[in-house]
Short mmCIF file of all heavy atoms in Angstrom, two decimals:
data_model
loop_
_atom_site.label_atom_id
_atom_site.label_comp_id
_atom_site.label_asym_id
_atom_site.label_seq_id
_atom_site.Cartn_x
_atom_site.Cartn_y
_atom_site.Cartn_z
N GLU A 282 -11.99 -11.11 3.77
CA GLU A 282 -13.45 -11.07 3.99
C GLU A 282 -13.80 -11.43 5.44
O GLU A 282 -14.68 -10.80 6.04
CB GLU A 282 -14.15 -12.03 3.02
CG GLU A 282 -14.22 -11.47 1.60
CD GLU A 282 -14.65 -12.49 0.55
OE1 GLU A 282 -14.76 -13.69 0.88
OE2 GLU A 282 -14.85 -12.09 -0.61
N THR A 283 -13.11 -12.41 5.98
CA THR A 283 -13.40 -12.80 7.38
C THR A 283 -13.00 -11.67 8.33
O THR A 283 -13.73 -11.37 9.28
CB THR A 283 -12.63 -14.10 7.75
OG1 THR A 283 -12.92 -15.07 6.76
CG2 THR A 283 -13.04 -14.62 9.11
N ALA A 284 -11.85 -11.03 8.05
CA ALA A 284 -11.42 -9.92 8.90
C ALA A 284 -12.41 -8.77 8.82
O ALA A 284 -12.74 -8.14 9.83
CB ALA A 284 -10.03 -9.46 8.48
N ALA A 285 -12.92 -8.50 7.62
CA ALA A 285 -13.91 -7.42 7.44
C ALA A 285 -15.14 -7.72 8.28
O ALA A 285 -15.68 -6.85 8.97
CB ALA A 285 -14.27 -7.28 5.96
N LYS A 286 -15.55 -8.97 8.23
CA LYS A 286 -16.73 -9.39 9.02
C LYS A 286 -16.47 -9.22 10.51
O LYS A 286 -17.29 -8.68 11.25
CB LYS A 286 -17.03 -10.86 8.69
CG LYS A 286 -18.50 -11.19 8.69
CD LYS A 286 -18.73 -12.54 8.07
CE LYS A 286 -19.68 -13.33 8.93
NZ LYS A 286 -19.63 -14.76 8.65
N ASN A 287 -15.28 -9.66 10.95
CA ASN A 287 -14.92 -9.55 12.36
C ASN A 287 -14.86 -8.10 12.83
O ASN A 287 -15.13 -7.80 13.99
CB ASN A 287 -13.56 -10.20 12.64
CG ASN A 287 -13.63 -11.71 12.55
OD1 ASN A 287 -14.72 -12.29 12.55
ND2 ASN A 287 -12.48 -12.37 12.45
N LEU A 288 -14.50 -7.22 11.91
CA LEU A 288 -14.43 -5.80 12.26
C LEU A 288 -15.79 -5.11 12.07
O LEU A 288 -15.95 -3.95 12.44
CB LEU A 288 -13.38 -5.09 11.39
CG LEU A 288 -11.92 -5.31 11.76
CD1 LEU A 288 -10.99 -4.85 10.64
CD2 LEU A 288 -11.55 -4.58 13.06
N GLY A 289 -16.73 -5.82 11.46
CA GLY A 289 -18.07 -5.28 11.26
C GLY A 289 -18.13 -4.21 10.19
O GLY A 289 -18.89 -3.25 10.30
N ILE A 290 -17.31 -4.36 9.14
CA ILE A 290 -17.33 -3.37 8.05
C ILE A 290 -17.47 -4.06 6.70
O ILE A 290 -17.06 -5.20 6.53
CB ILE A 290 -16.06 -2.48 8.02
CG1 ILE A 290 -14.85 -3.27 8.52
CG2 ILE A 290 -16.25 -1.19 8.75
CD1 ILE A 290 -13.59 -2.50 8.43
N GLY A 291 -18.01 -3.31 5.75
CA GLY A 291 -18.24 -3.86 4.41
C GLY A 291 -16.95 -3.91 3.60
O GLY A 291 -16.02 -3.14 3.85
N MET A 292 -16.93 -4.79 2.62
CA MET A 292 -15.73 -4.96 1.78
C MET A 292 -15.44 -3.73 0.92
O MET A 292 -14.33 -3.59 0.41
CB MET A 292 -15.92 -6.18 0.88
CG MET A 292 -15.64 -7.50 1.55
SD MET A 292 -13.93 -7.63 2.15
CE MET A 292 -13.03 -7.85 0.62
N GLU A 293 -16.44 -2.83 0.76
CA GLU A 293 -16.21 -1.66 -0.10
C GLU A 293 -15.13 -0.73 0.44
O GLU A 293 -14.57 0.08 -0.29
CB GLU A 293 -17.53 -0.90 -0.37
CG GLU A 293 -18.22 -0.27 0.84
CD GLU A 293 -19.00 -1.27 1.70
OE1 GLU A 293 -19.08 -2.45 1.35
OE2 GLU A 293 -19.50 -0.83 2.76
N LYS A 294 -14.82 -0.86 1.72
CA LYS A 294 -13.74 -0.02 2.30
C LYS A 294 -12.37 -0.69 2.18
O LYS A 294 -11.38 -0.13 2.64
CB LYS A 294 -14.03 0.24 3.78
CG LYS A 294 -14.96 1.41 4.05
CD LYS A 294 -14.88 1.77 5.52
CE LYS A 294 -15.68 3.01 5.83
NZ LYS A 294 -15.44 3.47 7.21
N PHE A 295 -12.33 -1.90 1.63
CA PHE A 295 -11.06 -2.63 1.54
C PHE A 295 -10.45 -2.51 0.15
O PHE A 295 -11.15 -2.70 -0.85
CB PHE A 295 -11.27 -4.11 1.88
CG PHE A 295 -11.32 -4.37 3.36
CD1 PHE A 295 -12.44 -4.04 4.10
CD2 PHE A 295 -10.23 -4.90 4.02
CE1 PHE A 295 -12.49 -4.24 5.47
CE2 PHE A 295 -10.26 -5.12 5.39
CZ PHE A 295 -11.40 -4.79 6.12
N VAL A 296 -9.18 -2.21 0.11
CA VAL A 296 -8.46 -2.24 -1.17
C VAL A 296 -8.04 -3.69 -1.40
O VAL A 296 -7.41 -4.30 -0.53
CB VAL A 296 -7.22 -1.32 -1.14
CG1 VAL A 296 -6.44 -1.44 -2.45
CG2 VAL A 296 -7.63 0.13 -0.89
N VAL A 297 -8.41 -4.24 -2.55
CA VAL A 297 -8.09 -5.65 -2.85
C VAL A 297 -7.32 -5.74 -4.16
O VAL A 297 -7.78 -5.26 -5.20
CB VAL A 297 -9.39 -6.49 -2.94
CG1 VAL A 297 -9.07 -7.92 -3.39
CG2 VAL A 297 -10.11 -6.52 -1.59
N THR A 298 -6.14 -6.33 -4.08
CA THR A 298 -5.34 -6.55 -5.29
C THR A 298 -4.86 -7.99 -5.40
O THR A 298 -4.12 -8.34 -6.33
CB THR A 298 -4.09 -5.62 -5.30
OG1 THR A 298 -3.38 -5.83 -4.08
CG2 THR A 298 -4.46 -4.17 -5.43
N VAL A 299 -5.27 -8.81 -4.41
CA VAL A 299 -4.77 -10.18 -4.37
C VAL A 299 -5.14 -10.95 -5.65
O VAL A 299 -4.41 -11.85 -6.07
CB VAL A 299 -5.27 -10.91 -3.09
CG1 VAL A 299 -6.77 -11.18 -3.14
CG2 VAL A 299 -4.48 -12.18 -2.84
N ASP A 300 -6.23 -10.54 -6.30
CA ASP A 300 -6.67 -11.24 -7.52
C ASP A 300 -5.62 -11.15 -8.63
O ASP A 300 -5.39 -12.12 -9.33
CB ASP A 300 -8.02 -10.68 -8.02
CG ASP A 300 -7.99 -9.17 -8.21
OD1 ASP A 300 -7.23 -8.49 -7.49
OD2 ASP A 300 -8.70 -8.67 -9.09
N HIS A 301 -4.94 -10.00 -8.77
CA HIS A 301 -3.96 -9.87 -9.85
C HIS A 301 -2.51 -9.76 -9.39
O HIS A 301 -1.61 -9.69 -10.23
CB HIS A 301 -4.32 -8.73 -10.80
CG HIS A 301 -4.51 -7.39 -10.13
ND1 HIS A 301 -5.59 -7.09 -9.34
CD2 HIS A 301 -3.76 -6.27 -10.13
CE1 HIS A 301 -5.50 -5.86 -8.89
NE2 HIS A 301 -4.38 -5.34 -9.34
N HIS A 302 -2.27 -9.71 -8.07
CA HIS A 302 -0.89 -9.69 -7.56
C HIS A 302 -0.50 -10.99 -6.85
O HIS A 302 0.68 -11.28 -6.71
CB HIS A 302 -0.69 -8.54 -6.56
CG HIS A 302 -0.70 -7.18 -7.18
ND1 HIS A 302 -0.81 -6.03 -6.45
CD2 HIS A 302 -0.61 -6.79 -8.47
CE1 HIS A 302 -0.79 -4.98 -7.25
NE2 HIS A 302 -0.68 -5.42 -8.49
N GLY A 303 -1.48 -11.74 -6.35
CA GLY A 303 -1.16 -12.84 -5.45
C GLY A 303 -0.59 -12.28 -4.17
O GLY A 303 -0.72 -11.08 -3.88
N ASN A 304 0.07 -13.13 -3.40
CA ASN A 304 0.69 -12.70 -2.15
C ASN A 304 2.14 -12.30 -2.43
O ASN A 304 2.98 -13.16 -2.70
CB ASN A 304 0.62 -13.84 -1.13
CG ASN A 304 1.26 -13.50 0.20
OD1 ASN A 304 2.00 -12.52 0.31
ND2 ASN A 304 1.00 -14.31 1.20
N THR A 305 2.41 -11.01 -2.38
CA THR A 305 3.77 -10.52 -2.65
C THR A 305 4.49 -10.16 -1.35
O THR A 305 5.36 -9.28 -1.33
CB THR A 305 3.76 -9.30 -3.60
OG1 THR A 305 2.93 -8.28 -3.00
CG2 THR A 305 3.22 -9.64 -4.97
N SER A 306 4.14 -10.84 -0.27
CA SER A 306 4.74 -10.61 1.05
C SER A 306 4.73 -9.12 1.39
O SER A 306 3.71 -8.46 1.20
CB SER A 306 6.14 -11.22 1.11
OG SER A 306 6.61 -11.18 2.45
N SER A 307 5.86 -8.57 1.85
CA SER A 307 5.81 -7.19 2.36
C SER A 307 5.52 -6.16 1.28
O SER A 307 5.18 -5.02 1.59
CB SER A 307 7.11 -6.83 3.08
OG SER A 307 8.19 -6.70 2.18
N ALA A 308 5.61 -6.55 0.01
CA ALA A 308 5.31 -5.58 -1.06
C ALA A 308 3.80 -5.44 -1.28
O ALA A 308 3.35 -4.51 -1.96
CB ALA A 308 5.99 -6.00 -2.36
N SER A 309 3.02 -6.36 -0.69
CA SER A 309 1.60 -6.38 -1.05
C SER A 309 0.85 -5.14 -0.58
O SER A 309 0.03 -4.59 -1.31
CB SER A 309 0.94 -7.66 -0.53
OG SER A 309 0.36 -7.49 0.74
N ILE A 310 1.12 -4.66 0.63
CA ILE A 310 0.39 -3.48 1.13
C ILE A 310 0.77 -2.22 0.33
O ILE A 310 -0.11 -1.52 -0.16
CB ILE A 310 0.61 -3.30 2.66
CG1 ILE A 310 -0.11 -4.43 3.41
CG2 ILE A 310 0.13 -1.93 3.13
CD1 ILE A 310 0.12 -4.43 4.92
N PRO A 311 2.08 -1.92 0.16
CA PRO A 311 2.38 -0.71 -0.61
C PRO A 311 1.98 -0.82 -2.09
O PRO A 311 1.65 0.20 -2.71
CB PRO A 311 3.90 -0.55 -0.45
CG PRO A 311 4.40 -1.88 -0.05
CD PRO A 311 3.30 -2.52 0.74
N LEU A 312 2.01 -2.04 -2.65
CA LEU A 312 1.54 -2.18 -4.04
C LEU A 312 0.05 -1.84 -4.13
O LEU A 312 -0.39 -1.14 -5.04
CB LEU A 312 1.74 -3.63 -4.53
CG LEU A 312 3.10 -3.97 -5.14
CD1 LEU A 312 3.22 -5.48 -5.35
CD2 LEU A 312 3.32 -3.25 -6.47
#
Side-chain angles (χ1 to χ4, degrees):
E282 284 169 352
T283 308
K286 215 167 134 198
N287 289 345
L288 283 166
I290 31 177
M292 279 299 287
E293 63 283 356
K294 275 194 174 188
F295 279 75
V296 176
V297 174
T298 54
V299 70
D300 54 330
H301 55 288
H302 289 166
N304 179 345
T305 57
S306 189
S307 70
S309 93
I310 291 176
L312 273 170

